[in-house]
Amino acid sequence: MAKRTNKTNRVKAKPTKTRKERKPFTFSPIWRDPRFHLALGFFLIVASLYLFIAQVSYLFTGPADQSVVESVLESNWKVAGQETENWLGLVGAVVSYLWIYRWFGIASLLIPPLLFAAGVRLVFRRTLMSLYRATMGVIFFLIWTSWLLGYWIYHQKNLSEWGLLSGGVGYELALLTDSLIGWGTLLVLAFALIVFIIYFFNLTSPLPLPRPASPFEASTREPAAAGMSNSTATQLSFVEDEDPLTWDRPSTSEEEEDDVYGEEKEPEQPPRTEAKPSPTSLPLDIEDPALPQETIPPNFALEVEEYSEEAKKVLSSENYDPTLDLPKYRYPEPGLLDDSHSGRIQVTKEELEANKDKIIETLINFKIGIQSIKATIGPTVTLYEIVPEAGVKISKIKNLEDDIALNLAALGIRIIAPIPGKGTIGIEVPNKNREMVSMHSVVTTEKFMLSNKELPIILGKTVANELFVADLAKMPHLLIAGATGQGKSVGLNVLISSLIYKRHPSQLKFVMVDPKKVELSLFNKLERHFLAKIPNSEEAIITETKKVIYTLNSLCIEMDNRYNLLKDGGCRNIREYNQKFVKRKLNPEEGHRFLPYIVLIIDELADLMMTAGKEVETPIARLAQLARAIGIHLVVATQRPSVNVITGIIKANFPVRLSYRVTSKVDSRTILDTGGAEQLVGMGDMLLSVNSDLIRLQCPFVDTPEVDSICEYIGSQRGYESAYVLPEYLGDDSDTSDVLAVDLKNRDELFDDAARVIVHHQQGSTSLIQRKLKLGYNRAGRLIDQLEAAGIVGPFEGSKAREVLVSDEYSLEQLLNSLD
C-alpha cells in the first residue's frame, strides 16, 4: 500500500478485452525497448566515470595539453594522442578542454554525478536522487557558478586562470554584465540564486509560517447539506417535514466526529411542541428515502489512484510506489456483479397507515398518549418515531414490545427508547415485502467508490436506506455472530469483496481460516494476489486445526517483527511507517519494507475453541490487544455465541460486534451485551454494536457465482510468484524427524546451485533461494531441508536465518563431491 492522504478513486472507461485477443503487429520504436534502456543505462554509467576521471586529470595536466588540444585538428591524431598527458588520452583531454576551458570551468564537475544517477536508474531501477530536480539544479549552477567565478577572475585581473575556474561561458557573461551594469552583476547573481531557491524548495514565505486552512479543508468538517441527502421526504399530511433519521450520536468534538464509521453527524433535534391532535386524526409523517443514490455506470473499469491530484504535486515523482510490483493490475469491475435483482419493493401507504393505527390503538389501550408519529422506510423495516406526551415514562412504552408485536402480527418488532440523539421513541416494524439490497447497487455508489478510508468495508443499508461504509482499520477488529442460515457467510463475502474492490494486492493480504472447508474455498484463486500463508503450506485457505494454531502464532511473530521495524523507524503506527518508506526515508538494506495490511478471517470460531481451546484463544487475544497499530486486523465469526466460545478475554478486545439473528436472548446478550438480536427477521438483517449503540442494518446480498466471477477476474491476471509468506513457526511438539528422513540420494536437481548460493552469501534462508533461483516457496523449502540434512545449514531458529555451517566454496565442493 502508499501514502494515506485524502485518497480519491478515478473512474476511467476502458474497452473490454478478452484474454484471447491478439494485438496486431505494430512497429515499436527503439527507445521503448527495455534492452535499449539497459544498454543506455550502462553507457551513461561508463560515460560519467570517463568524464569524471578526464576532468580531474585536466585539473593537473590541462596546461601541458593546451597546445596539443588546440592544434589537434591540424595535426596527426595518433601522434597528438601520444603527446597528451591526460590520464584518458587525447579524447579525455579534448572533452575536458571543452567542458572546463571553453564552457563552464570547474562547475562542469557536476555533470558526471548526474549522468551516473541516470545510468543507475535505468540499470538497477534504483533512484539515487530526483533526476528532474537534479537536472534543474545542475543546469542552474553550471551557469551561475561559472558566471560568479568569471566576475571574480575579471576583477582580479588574473586572466590566466579564467579557463580553469570559470570557463569561457562564465568569463564572457561576466565581461558583458560588468560593462553594462558594473558591480550590479553581484545583485543580479544574488537575485537569481534567491529565485532558484524559492522555486526549487517551493517556498511561499521567508519564514516557516503556519499554513492557513484551505476552503476545501474547512468544508470537509461541515455536516452534509440537507440538499445532498440521498433520501427524500414524502409528505402525506399537513404535519411539517422533519430531517431524515440518522443513527449517529451528537458529538461535541472533532475527535468524536471521526468515529469508526466515518459518518457525518446531525445536530440534536429538540422535541416537537405541537398541539396534540386527537388519536383518530393523528397524521403520519412519512420519511421515504426511495430515491437511489448516485451510482457509477457498471460498464466502466475502476482504476483506483492512491493520491489526489493535489497530493501528487506535493509528492516527489521519485517516491516508492508499491503498486508497481503489479503495474498492470486491474481492479474488479462492477459489471462482474449481478444487477438484475436491484429493484426496490415499495411499501404501500395502506400498510403504513394500518401499522400506524395499530400502534396508536395499542398505546391508547394502555393509557399512553402521543403527540406525533413519523415513519421512515428502510429496506427491511420501517421505523416509526413517536413523541410521547409529557409525563409518560419511557420504560412503560418499552414494556409494551410484545403487545405491539401481537397487535401487528409481525415478527421482529424492536423498540428503541429513546433514539440516541433525538427526543423520540422508535418502533421498528418489518416490512411485508422486503427490498433486496444487491452488492452491485452498493458497490456502484459514490459513497463507497470515493471513500478515503484505510480499509473500507460495506456493512449494509441503514433503516433510512443509506449505505453504511465502515473503516476496519479504526474498529480495529470485528466479532460476528449469527445462527445458521441467517446471512453470516454472505456477510463475510461482502466484507472481503468490498476490500478487494478498493485495495491493490500490494496493500492488503488476507489470512483465511475455514474449519468447515467449504465457505471460503472460492477465494483460493486469489492466492498469488491477496492471500498470505505459513511456509510449507500447500493451501492458502487454512482448514486443519494444527495449521490454524501455527498460523495464529506465525501472525504473532509477524506482529513482533513489525513492531521492531516501527521502533527502528521511529514510528507509532503502520501509516506513519509506510509514509516514511514511500518517501524513501527508511533504508531497505536495513530490513525495512513496505508493510501491507493483513486481515485475519476466521469463519467458525466455535469449532476451533472446541478442538484447540487455549491454543487458539491465547494468540487471538494477543493479536486483538496489540496488532492494531501495525496493521493486522481480525474478523472472527461464529454461529454459537456462547460464553465458552466468546470468552471474556476475546470479548474485551472486540469493541465492535455484529450480530445476525440468533436463537435466544442469552446469545444476543453474549454478543451485544443486550437483547434484540433474537428478534431480527433473518436474511441479512443484523445489529451492529459500537460503544453500546445499536445500529440496525440490512446486509447486501452477493451470490456465489458473483464471488466466483470476481476471483476469476483477479486470478487470471499476473500475480506474485507465490502467496505472501508469514514467518516460520514450529510448536513445542515439533521434532526433526522430517529432516533426518530426507533421502540425500534423491536430491533436487538444483541442490548444488542452492548450496553454492547459500555458502556464497553466508545466509541460510528459504527466501534467498527463492530469489536467486526463481523458485516457488515449497520447492525452496524442500531444498533447505536437504541442505540441513547434508550439514550445509543449521537447524531452524525461529525468525532468524539458519546458520551456514560451510565457511567457503572450496570446502563446499569437497562436501558435494563426497555426497556424489
Side-chain angles (χ1 to χ4, degrees):
M1 292 73 49
K3 180 181 177 183
R4 300 293 189 268
T5 55
N6 291 333
K7 296 185 182 176
T8 58
N9 300 332
R10 176 175 294 176
V11 183
K12 298 181 180 177
K14 287 186 178 179
T16 304
K17 293 183 180 179
T18 60
R19 295 181 58 190
K20 296 182 179 180
E21 180 180 355
R22 295 187 60 186
K23 297 182 179 179
F25 173 79
T26 57
F27 174 75
S28 179
I30 189 174
W31 54 84
R32 295 183 181 178
D33 192 338
R35 295 169 297 181
F36 175 75
H37 295 169
L38 186 62
L40 178 61
F42 277 114
F43 170 77
L44 291 175
I45 292 176
V46 173
S48 67
L49 296 176
Y50 185 93
L51 183 58
F52 177 75
I53 296 173
Q55 289 178 342
V56 172
S57 174
Y58 184 82
L59 299 180
F60 302 98
T61 64
D65 294 339
Q66 186 78 8
S67 60
V68 177
V69 172
E70 291 179 347
S71 61
V72 66
L73 297 177
E74 301 176 359
S75 62
N76 187 301
W77 283 67
K78 183 177 180 181
V79 175
Q82 295 175 350
E83 294 178 357
T84 56
E85 298 184 14
N86 192 284
W87 301 341
L88 296 180
L90 180 61
V91 175
V94 172
V95 171
S96 303
Y97 169 80
L98 292 176
W99 276 105
I100 297 178
Y101 188 82
R102 286 294 185 188
W103 295 339
F104 302 108
I106 61 172
S108 301
L109 292 173
L110 296 172
I111 297 295
L114 180 63
L115 296 179
F116 185 81
V120 170
R121 174 71 180 275
L122 289 173
V123 174
F124 301 104
R125 300 295 191 270
R126 295 192 59 183
T127 303
L128 300 180
M129 64 183 74
S130 171
L131 293 182
Y132 174 79
R133 292 166 61 85
T135 303
M136 294 300 101
V138 167
I139 293 174
F140 174 80
F141 282 106
L142 275 177
I143 300 173
W144 190 87
T145 305
S146 62
W147 191 356
L148 177 64
L149 292 175
Y151 183 81
W152 178 78
I153 292 172
Y154 174 74
H155 282 275
Q156 293 295 322
K157 306 300 181 183
N158 187 5
L159 302 182
S160 62
E161 297 295 332
W162 70 269
L164 184 62
L165 294 179
S166 66
V169 172
Y171 187 80
E172 292 297 331
L173 280 174
L175 185 62
L176 175 64
T177 54
D178 186 77
S179 63
L180 294 177
I181 58 177
W183 61 268
T185 303
L186 295 178
L187 296 179
V188 173
L189 289 169
F191 173 74
L193 181 61
I194 293 173
V195 171
F196 173 79
I197 293 174
I198 290 174
Y199 279 91
F200 190 81
F201 296 102
N202 195 23
L203 301 180
T204 58
S205 171
L207 297 176
L209 300 177
R211 181 176 61 89
S214 66
F216 173 78
E217 292 172 331
S219 64
T220 58
R221 296 186 180 273
E222 298 176 1
M228 296 299 293
S229 174
N230 291 323
S231 60
T232 58
T234 304
Q235 184 175 348
L236 301 182
S237 65
F238 291 98
V239 178
E240 183 180 356
D241 287 346
E242 295 182 358
D243 292 334
L245 172 67
T246 179
W247 286 91
D248 294 330
R249 298 185 301 169
S251 61
T252 58
S253 67
E254 293 181 3
E255 183 178 358
E256 292 179 1
E257 290 181 4
D258 189 17
D259 60 3
V260 294
Y261 336 119
E263 301 287 339
E264 295 174 330
K265 313 298 187 207
E266 290 187 0
E268 183 175 354
Q269 301 294 328
R272 299 173 63 97
T273 57
E274 297 179 358
K276 177 184 72 174
S278 62
T280 56
S281 64
L282 189 67
L284 175 64
D285 185 16
I286 301 176
E287 190 78 24
D288 183 12
L291 292 182
Q293 304 182 34
E294 295 184 10
T295 60
I296 295 173
N299 58 338
F300 273 46
L302 301 183
E303 192 165 310
V304 181
E305 294 188 353
E306 294 305 322
Y307 299 96
S308 64
E309 293 299 327
E310 292 80 7
K312 286 183 177 180
K313 294 179 181 178
V314 177
L315 292 176
S316 170
S317 61
E318 306 301 329
N319 285 348
Y320 172 77
D321 185 0
T323 62
L324 293 181
D325 292 344
L326 299 177
K328 296 184 179 180
Y329 174 78
R330 292 169 293 155
Y331 289 78
E333 304 171 358
L336 299 171
L337 301 170
D338 185 10
D339 62 342
S340 61
H341 47 264
S342 299
R344 171 172 171 77
I345 302 175
Q346 297 291 338
V347 177
T348 63
K349 179 182 176 182
E350 291 74 16
E351 179 183 345
L352 295 173
E353 291 291 344
N355 288 339
K356 179 205 75 170
D357 294 339
K358 291 177 182 178
I359 291 174
I360 294 175
E361 180 184 351
T362 303
L363 295 176
I364 290 177
N365 290 340
F366 289 92
K367 297 182 174 55
I368 297 175
I370 60 175
Q371 296 180 9
S372 64
I373 184 169
K374 171 184 147 184
T376 302
I377 303 173
T380 304
V381 299
T382 298
L383 174 69
Y384 294 87
E385 290 184 66
I386 62 174
V387 178
E389 290 182 343
V392 176
K393 292 184 177 180
I394 294 179
S395 59
K396 191 174 183 180
I397 300 178
K398 181 69 175 174
N399 293 333
L400 297 178
E401 197 167 65
D402 295 335
D403 299 282
I404 296 175
L406 178 63
N407 265 9
L408 293 174
L411 175 67
I413 299 294
R414 196 171 73 99
I415 294 181
I416 311 168
I419 295 176
K422 290 195 174 185
T424 59
I425 294 174
I427 302 175
E428 293 176 348
V429 180
N431 301 330
K432 291 182 179 179
N433 297 314
R434 301 176 54 177
E435 173 192 356
M436 170 67 74
V437 180
S438 68
M439 187 67 178
H440 183 277
S441 66
V442 295
V443 162
T444 54
T445 58
E446 290 187 0
K447 186 171 186 179
F448 173 69
M449 281 300 175
L450 302 183
S451 171
N452 59 359
K453 296 176 172 61
E454 295 290 321
L455 296 175
I457 56 175
I458 295 174
L459 293 182
K461 284 191 174 181
T462 66
V463 175
N465 208 40
E466 295 179 352
L467 179 62
F468 193 95
V469 181
D471 191 353
L472 182 61
K474 291 184 178 180
M475 285 186 172
H477 312 294
L478 181 61
L479 186 60
I480 303 176
T484 303
Q486 302 306 313
K488 178 168 52 63
S489 296
V490 172
L492 283 178
N493 290 342
V494 170
L495 185 148
I496 297 171
S497 300
S498 58
L499 288 173
I500 291 174
Y501 262 92
K502 290 286 290 181
R503 286 291 162 260
H504 190 274
S506 64
Q507 302 166 340
L508 174 66
K509 303 296 177 184
F510 291 99
V511 176
M512 296 188 178
V513 175
D514 184 14
K516 291 187 287 188
K517 302 182 180 181
V518 294
E519 296 295 343
L520 301 177
S521 57
L522 286 174
F523 298 101
N524 258 322
K525 299 175 183 177
L526 305 180
E527 177 175 346
R528 295 183 300 111
H529 295 84
F530 283 101
L531 300 189
K533 64 181 182 180
I534 58 176
N536 301 320
S537 176
E538 296 292 337
E539 298 292 336
I541 310 295
I542 301 102
T543 57
E544 300 176 11
T545 303
K546 185 175 182 179
K547 288 188 176 180
V548 171
I549 297 172
Y550 281 25
T551 300
L552 294 176
N553 285 279
S554 179
L555 276 175
C556 291
I557 298 174
E558 175 76 9
M559 177 182 69
D560 295 335
N561 293 342
R562 289 190 171 200
Y563 268 116
N564 290 332
L565 291 177
L566 261 63
K567 177 184 176 183
D568 295 340
C571 304
R572 296 177 300 172
N573 54 55
I574 188 174
R575 289 189 63 184
E576 294 180 4
Y577 180 87
N578 282 340
Q579 287 174 3
K580 273 192 173 183
F581 190 86
V582 164
K583 294 180 179 179
R584 301 189 183 275
K585 294 182 179 180
L586 299 174
N587 190 352
E589 295 182 358
E590 297 176 359
H592 292 291
R593 55 191 170 91
F594 184 85
L595 300 179
Y597 283 92
I598 298 178
V599 178
L600 170 63
I601 308 286
I602 300 179
D603 183 64
E604 184 49 71
L605 179 63
D607 181 77
L608 297 178
M609 295 296 290
M610 289 180 59
T611 56
K614 289 292 182 181
E615 292 180 284
V616 169
E617 180 185 3
T618 300
I620 288 179
R622 188 162 182 261
L623 290 170
Q625 289 171 338
L626 301 174
R628 171 184 180 177
I630 45 83
I632 299 179
H633 303 277
L634 282 62
V635 178
V636 180
T638 180
Q639 63 182 7
R640 284 196 300 115
S642 54
V643 292
N644 60 335
V645 175
I646 304 178
T647 63
I649 296 178
I650 293 179
K651 188 174 179 180
N653 293 289
F654 284 81
V656 181
R657 302 171 206 142
L658 185 66
S659 179
Y660 295 85
R661 186 182 179 186
V662 293
T663 56
S664 66
K665 183 176 289 189
V666 175
D667 289 345
S668 177
R669 290 186 179 277
T670 302
I671 182 69
L672 299 177
D673 292 328
T674 185
E678 76 283 358
Q679 297 173 326
L680 298 174
V681 295
M683 296 180 65
D685 189 20
M686 57 188 179
L687 288 173
L688 178 68
S689 172
V690 182
N691 300 326
S692 301
D693 290 341
L694 288 183
I695 304 170
R696 193 164 188 173
L697 302 170
Q698 173 61 43
C699 179
F701 177 74
V702 57
D703 206 356
T704 301
E706 296 176 83
V707 178
D708 189 56
S709 297
I710 296 173
C711 296
E712 180 65 30
Y713 180 84
I714 296 175
S716 62
Q717 302 182 44
R718 177 181 175 273
Y720 296 98
E721 292 185 2
S722 64
Y724 184 87
V725 180
L726 298 172
E728 290 181 304
Y729 170 81
L730 294 177
D732 296 335
D733 57 343
S734 63
D735 53 48
T736 60
S737 58
D738 294 338
V739 175
L740 296 177
V742 172
D743 184 9
L744 293 179
K745 295 182 180 179
N746 296 320
R747 299 190 301 275
D748 192 289
E749 59 183 7
L750 294 178
F751 176 84
D752 292 354
D753 294 337
R756 294 186 180 98
V757 168
I758 292 296
V759 173
H760 176 73
H761 290 83
Q762 287 295 302
Q763 181 183 351
S765 68
T766 308
S767 59
L768 177 64
I769 297 178
Q770 280 185 273
R771 294 196 309 271
K772 296 299 182 181
L773 301 183
K774 298 180 181 180
L775 303 177
Y777 189 87
N778 294 330
R779 187 176 182 184
R782 289 191 294 269
L783 279 169
I784 206 74
D785 289 338
Q786 294 176 3
L787 292 172
E788 181 183 354
I792 298 175
V793 297
F796 174 73
E797 297 181 6
S799 59
K800 298 181 181 179
R802 296 171 183 256
E803 180 184 4
V804 181
L805 303 179
V806 180
S807 59
D808 55 70
E809 296 182 2
Y810 177 78
S811 302
L812 174 64
E813 295 300 327
Q814 289 183 323
L815 177 59
L816 294 178
N817 292 334
S818 65
L819 292 177
D820 294 333

